[in-house]
């Protein structure tokens, strides 16, 4: 086995040989036994038995799937510092944690600790671009810490600047925020967005924040259609005031009327569906089954690892499941049967790659075509029986593969994961910073509040009376002549 820290030298061309290649080009061309050549930060060629420059690093992709790097369009990376803490929450408990309790306690170094572990987690799972929906930047020191962590990891990121502890029209006007954003212009590896929600207040106080984003030349990303929080009024106010653009991202967009979907469709924005989130938290039903009727672009996202995973394989899987479950349910309520699924494995692979690229206005990402940026994932795990037979590559990615099967990852032409190991990651140091944040937050809150936050009260479930109490039968069947099903006696 090669040592990935030393043998995969930066600056050399890399060729992945003999894989099944999901190009995700306009025709969704799939090539078998094909190579992908990366030279510098670009895809140089895709095809069978490519001639390569001398000194090219060869990676054996036989038996594997080569696909574009995945793109997560909405993740609160800072919250990864408390990974899994909120596994049993609803949105109500999350809001208390985020706005009133733990969220307020986060220091700049805690934001940085969450971002650092989340950023490495992305690369490990083949997510080469992650939007950091960073809505706890209480000061620009917090923002600097968020940015430093993203810069310390060789992935592609978008810092979506936000601050839940202040009104968006207040913090976007803050001279410190303005000078932070001016000092950090968006670039290829690190983009910027402005992140805030629209309450639907008829006075539309968010107007000033939209104007600020426009002045800065940055797109707005917003949690829309969240049950009990944001609704059709917010969409209508954005539309009537001319702030819905093709660069706008509507996260969740679950509890909206047809009128809102039509406004989104007409202005060309993208809905970022976070199915794992919507299924657990209660924003509304994952909307993909509705939005295809409006021909709205879809991208995928994970939302937060304080609750669930940061793994786009899971996003693809749960999105297919939720969409199909709803189609079946709607049909059954009408006494009908679904005979053909509208949502296919190929569609969710497209959303995880090209959908994200489109949402971010990055035509050079999400595809494996010459000239595109070299963000590449090789799914291959020779030690796993799940890696074969490889019959349906889209189905394989969506329902069979998982992050442990991610063998190699390139970002901008650089190998950041090789032979299932991250390259150049000091995970010991990353772990220590995350654990220091956990220790700090736990001591700030006290053990009792910490435990209570993680273990919400369990509602009682009333077990219904059952008229079919075959007590005699049960008695006879378990102890009588026929004996137990477990072979007793
Ligand atoms: Zn969110």
């Amino acid at each position: 086995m090669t040592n990935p820290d030393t043998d995969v030298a930066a600056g050399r061309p890399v060729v992945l040989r003999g894989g099944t290649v999901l190009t995700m080009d306009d025709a969704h061309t799939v090539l078998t036994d094909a190579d992908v050549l990366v030279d510098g930060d670009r895809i140089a060629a895709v095809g069978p038995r490519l001639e390569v420059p001398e000194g090219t690093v060869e990676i054996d992709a036989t038996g594997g799937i080569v696909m574009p790097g995945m793109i997560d369009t909405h993740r609160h990376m800072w919250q990864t510092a408390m990974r899994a803490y909120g596994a049993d929450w609803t949105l109500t408990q999350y809001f208390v944690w985020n706005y009133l309790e733990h969220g307020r306690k986060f220091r700049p170094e805690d934001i940085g600790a969450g971002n650092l572990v989340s950023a490495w987690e992305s690369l490990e799972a083949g997510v080469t671009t992650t939007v950091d929906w960073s809505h706890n930047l209480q000061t620009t020191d917090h923002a600097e810490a968020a940015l430093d962590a993203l810069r310390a990891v060789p992935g592609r990121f978008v810092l979506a600047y936000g601050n839940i502890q202040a009104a968006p029209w207040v913090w976007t006007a803050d001279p410190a925020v303005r000078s932070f954003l001016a000092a950090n212009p968006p670039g290829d590896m690190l983009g910027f967005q402005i992140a805030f929600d629209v309450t639907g207040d008829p006075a539309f106080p968010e107007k000033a924040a939209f104007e600020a984003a426009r002045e800065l030349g940055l797109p707005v990303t917003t949690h829309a259609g969240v049950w009990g929080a944001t609704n059709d009024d917010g969409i209508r106010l954005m539309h009537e005031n001319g702030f819905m653009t093709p660069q706008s991202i509507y996260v969740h967009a679950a509890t909206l009327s047809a009128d809102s979907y039509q406004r989104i469709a007409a202005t060309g924005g993208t809905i970022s569906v976070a199915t794992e989130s919507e299924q657990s938290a209660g924003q509304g039903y994952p909307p993909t089954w509705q939005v295809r009727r409006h021909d709205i672009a879809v991208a995928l996202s994970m939302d937060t690892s304080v609750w669930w995973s940061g793994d786009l394989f899971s996003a693809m899987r749960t999105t297919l499941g939720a969409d199909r479950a709803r189609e079946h349910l709607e049909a059954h309520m009408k006494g009908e049967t679904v005979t053909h699924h509208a949502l296919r494995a190929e569609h969710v692979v497209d959303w995880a790659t090209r959908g994200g690229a489109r949402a971010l206005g990055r035509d050079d990402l999400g595809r494996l075509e010459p000239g595109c940026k070299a963000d590449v994932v090789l799914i291959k795990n020779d030690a796993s029986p799940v890696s074969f037979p490889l019959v349906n590559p889209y189905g394989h990615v969506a329902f069979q593969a998982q992050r442990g099967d991610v063998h190699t990852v390139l970002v901008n032409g650089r190998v950041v994961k090789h032979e299932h190991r991250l390259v150049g990651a000091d995970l010991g140091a990353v772990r220590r910073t995350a654990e220091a944040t956990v220790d700090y937050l736990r001591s700030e809150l006290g053990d009792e509040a910490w435990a209570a936050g993680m273990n919400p009260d369990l509602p009682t479930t009333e077990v219904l009376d059952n008229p079919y109490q075959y007590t005699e039968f049960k008695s006879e069947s378990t102890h009588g002549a026929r004996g137990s099903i477990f072979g007793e006696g």
Side-chain angles (χ1 to χ4, degrees):
M1 184 163 170
T2 55
N3 179 342
D5 291 348
T6 54
D7 288 358
V8 187
R12 290 164 68 190
V14 175
V15 66
L16 299 106
R17 290 279 195 203
T20 295
V21 180
L22 306 183
T23 66
M24 304 314 292
D25 63 8
D26 287 345
H28 280 197
T29 306
V30 179
L31 302 167
T32 50
D33 194 14
D35 306 341
V36 175
L37 175 64
V38 170
D39 198 354
D41 60 352
R42 305 273 170 179
I43 307 283
V46 180
R49 286 165 289 282
L50 296 174
E51 299 265 351
V52 301
E54 212 176 299
T56 298
V57 176
E58 301 253 346
I59 294 174
D60 179 11
T62 54
I65 296 170
V66 184
M67 64 179 283
M70 291 174 271
I71 297 172
D72 183 340
T73 49
H74 146 247
R75 192 187 309 175
H76 309 292
M77 294 173 75
W78 61 276
Q79 297 179 351
T80 310
M82 291 183 68
R83 185 191 294 289
Y85 180 87
D88 295 320
W89 283 345
T90 60
L91 206 53
T92 306
Q93 284 136 359
Y94 169 79
F95 285 149
V96 171
W97 172 83
N98 195 15
Y99 293 87
L100 303 175
E101 292 175 356
H102 307 51
R104 295 181 87 96
K105 305 276 188 196
F106 268 67
R107 303 162 299 175
E109 59 261 52
D110 304 316
I111 299 284
N115 272 25
L116 194 62
V117 61
S118 185
W120 280 115
E121 175 180 2
S122 279
L123 298 188
E124 210 270 336
V127 179
T128 51
T129 300
T130 310
V131 174
D132 178 21
W133 220 102
S134 195
H135 59 347
N136 197 12
L137 303 180
Q138 300 176 45
T139 68
T140 48
D141 288 344
H142 290 73
E144 295 286 358
L147 203 55
D148 286 349
L150 300 180
R151 285 201 171 119
V153 178
R156 211 180 286 281
F157 300 101
V158 174
L159 180 66
Y161 196 114
N163 178 7
I164 42 164
Q165 307 296 351
W169 54 94
V170 173
W171 66 257
T172 52
D174 180 348
V177 173
R178 292 299 188 98
S179 51
F180 171 87
L181 291 168
N184 295 287
D188 176 37
M189 294 298 289
L190 188 62
F192 286 85
Q193 295 175 342
I194 299 295
F196 61 89
D197 298 342
V198 182
T199 59
D201 177 345
F204 194 43
E206 295 86 359
K207 186 177 183 189
F210 280 105
E211 283 166 348
R214 184 177 283 170
E215 225 171 274
L216 292 159
L218 299 178
V220 170
T221 176
T222 188
H223 292 107
V226 174
W227 178 261
T230 58
N231 57 33
D232 290 318
D233 291 332
I235 296 287
R236 183 179 47 76
L237 288 163
M238 280 177 72
H239 190 228
E240 287 172 356
N241 287 275
F243 294 118
M244 292 175 77
T245 76
Q247 288 75 45
S248 305
I249 297 181
Y250 308 90
V251 174
H252 304 305
T255 315
L256 292 175
S257 66
D259 178 72
S260 287
Y261 289 130
Q262 282 165 346
R263 292 177 197 263
I264 294 171
T267 48
T270 298
I271 291 180
S272 173
V273 176
T275 304
E276 270 196 57
S277 174
E278 289 126 25
Q279 286 183 321
S280 261
Q283 296 93 340
Y285 202 89
T288 57
W289 68 286
Q290 297 204 68
V291 305
R292 66 172 148 269
R293 291 169 202 163
H294 300 284
D295 196 23
I296 299 172
V298 174
L300 301 182
S301 64
M302 298 314 307
D303 205 347
T304 170
S305 298
V306 74
W307 233 310
W308 34 76
S309 82
D311 177 347
L312 280 180
F313 293 107
S314 175
M316 290 188 271
R317 199 167 298 170
T318 53
T319 301
L320 279 172
D323 191 290
R324 292 173 177 182
R326 185 64 183 244
E327 292 269 284
H328 288 300
L329 182 65
E330 294 284 325
H332 296 178
M333 289 194 300
K334 289 184 273 182
E336 295 170 358
T337 301
V338 174
T339 58
H340 292 69
H341 284 134
L343 190 67
R344 305 298 170 96
E346 182 175 344
H347 296 147
V348 292
V349 175
D350 181 275
W351 290 347
T353 53
R354 290 195 64 150
R358 185 195 177 281
L360 301 180
R362 291 293 301 257
D363 194 37
D364 56 347
L365 302 179
R367 294 179 291 142
L368 299 180
E369 287 187 88
C372 288
K373 283 285 181 170
D375 292 6
V376 186
V377 170
L378 169 60
I379 297 165
K380 172 180 160 112
N381 187 353
D382 292 337
S384 168
V386 181
S387 64
F388 59 87
L390 178 49
V391 175
N392 173 354
Y394 292 116
H396 212 103
V397 170
F399 277 133
Q400 306 295 320
Q402 45 124 334
R403 71 167 99 194
D405 300 325
V406 173
H407 175 287
T408 293
V409 179
L410 286 88
V411 182
N412 213 39
R414 176 173 171 186
V415 178
V416 299
K417 185 183 184 186
H418 185 50
E419 295 186 349
H420 302 282
R421 281 185 55 200
L422 288 167
V423 177
D426 182 355
L427 288 187
V430 176
R431 175 194 291 263
R432 282 190 293 280
T433 61
E435 288 177 348
T437 283
V438 167
D439 289 346
Y440 165 75
L441 292 171
R442 196 201 305 251
S443 68
E444 277 288 295
L445 288 151
D447 285 343
E448 205 176 315
W450 177 270
M454 189 160 58
N455 301 291
D457 292 340
L458 188 65
T460 51
T461 301
E462 187 199 353
V463 178
L464 302 176
D465 284 339
N466 183 349
Y468 305 108
Q469 301 287 349
Y470 292 117
T471 48
E472 281 179 30
F473 173 79
K474 193 187 277 177
S475 165
E476 191 180 86
S477 67
T478 50
H479 304 292
R482 287 187 289 158
S484 146
I485 54 168
F486 300 109
E488 167 194 324

